[in-house]
Amino acid sequence: MRTIRIFLASSSELKADRLAFEIEINRKNKLLAEKEIFLHLDIWEDLSTKMSPTRSQDEYNKAIAEADIFVLLAWNKVGKYTEEEFDFAWHMFRDKKKPAIFTWFKEQPQAAEPSLQAFKDKLSGLGHFPAFYKDAADLWVQFNKELDRLDLASMGKIDDARGIYVDNRNANIKNQFNGGTFNNPTFQ
């Protein structure tokens, strides 16, 4: 079973949208089970509240470092921790081409906090075009389309192939993988 890790970042004001997203992920997992794919969703409410040797946000950032997909939702504001999570994901993406990053803005109320516009300006400076959604159902339709566009079967693969055993017509082939070449393949 291949596990695809998704980190969902947003402020507390979007709790209902996060809950609806989590329900839809669970429904999608039922459909993906036959393909041996599991979507593991991390949201801040599910992460431990135990004391960290550094700070709690560092523990959330560890979950982002393991993510294959990073989703940021914003509505009336972008809080400092949500922005930090985005920055951490962006640096990971820039350096390692992972996680895939998606940003969605819920149709904003009449008077949004200045942090929302500042974050939109930041995304514009990065050359990123965010998406917009009306409600949780609309968000799911859009995210589900993005899942269909991604090659989920190739996500979450082990980057290092050392020690992999392949059974090919009852012949066990032990591979030693080193720097892009196979060294000393042996047949048993």
Side-chain angles (χ1 to χ4, degrees), residues 88-136:
F88 188 85
W90 166 247
H91 290 293
M92 293 288 302
F93 174 75
R94 193 184 61 205
D95 295 343
K96 299 183 179 187
K97 306 297 181 238
K98 159 183 164 169
I101 299 174
F102 298 95
T103 58
W104 272 282
F105 292 94
K106 189 170 187 174
E107 290 182 355
Q108 70 187 59
Q110 294 297 325
E113 292 185 18
S115 64
L116 185 67
Q117 187 58 51
F119 189 74
K120 286 180 178 179
D121 292 344
K122 177 186 228 176
L123 292 179
S124 179
L126 294 172
H128 175 67
F129 302 119
F132 297 87
Y133 72 103
K134 296 176 199 144
D135 55 27

Side-chain angles (χ1 to χ4, degrees), residues 35-106:
K35 296 180 181 180
E36 298 288 317
I37 296 173
F38 176 74
L39 302 176
H40 176 99
L41 179 65
D42 282 317
I43 56 176
W44 60 268
E45 290 96 338
D46 291 343
L47 299 174
S48 178
T49 59
K50 74 178 181 178
M51 180 72 95
S52 170
T54 56
R55 55 190 196 117
S56 296
Q57 186 61 45
D58 292 338
E59 301 305 314
Y60 298 168
N61 291 347
K62 286 178 187 175
I64 295 168
E66 295 175 5
D68 299 293
I69 300 171
F70 176 88
V71 176
L72 182 139
L73 305 180
W75 185 26
N76 186 46
K77 65 181 180 177
V78 175
K80 77 176 197 175
Y81 295 116
T82 303
E83 185 166 1
E84 180 179 336
E85 290 162 357
F86 172 83
D87 290 342
F88 188 85
W90 166 247
H91 290 293
M92 293 288 302
F93 174 75
R94 193 184 61 205
D95 295 343
K96 299 183 179 187
K97 306 297 181 238
K98 159 183 164 169
I101 299 174
F102 298 95
T103 58
W104 272 282
F105 292 94
K106 189 170 187 174

Side-chain angles (χ1 to χ4, degrees), residues 106-169:
K106 189 170 187 174
E107 290 182 355
Q108 70 187 59
Q110 294 297 325
E113 292 185 18
S115 64
L116 185 67
Q117 187 58 51
F119 189 74
K120 286 180 178 179
D121 292 344
K122 177 186 228 176
L123 292 179
S124 179
L126 294 172
H128 175 67
F129 302 119
F132 297 87
Y133 72 103
K134 296 176 199 144
D135 55 27
D138 183 36
L139 171 64
W140 179 252
V141 167
Q142 292 184 51
F143 183 72
N144 198 34
K145 285 180 185 176
E146 294 297 343
L147 285 177
D148 290 343
R149 290 179 179 131
L150 293 172
D151 181 8
L152 294 179
S154 71
M155 294 184 95
K157 281 188 176 176
I158 299 170
D159 292 332
D160 186 353
R162 285 179 288 183
I164 293 177
Y165 290 88
V166 178
D167 186 358
N168 187 1
R169 296 185 186 171

Side-chain angles (χ1 to χ4, degrees), residues 159-162 175-183:
D159 292 332
D160 186 353
R162 285 179 288 183
N175 293 326
Q176 295 176 349
F177 193 75
N178 185 11
T181 60
F182 287 101
N183 296 323

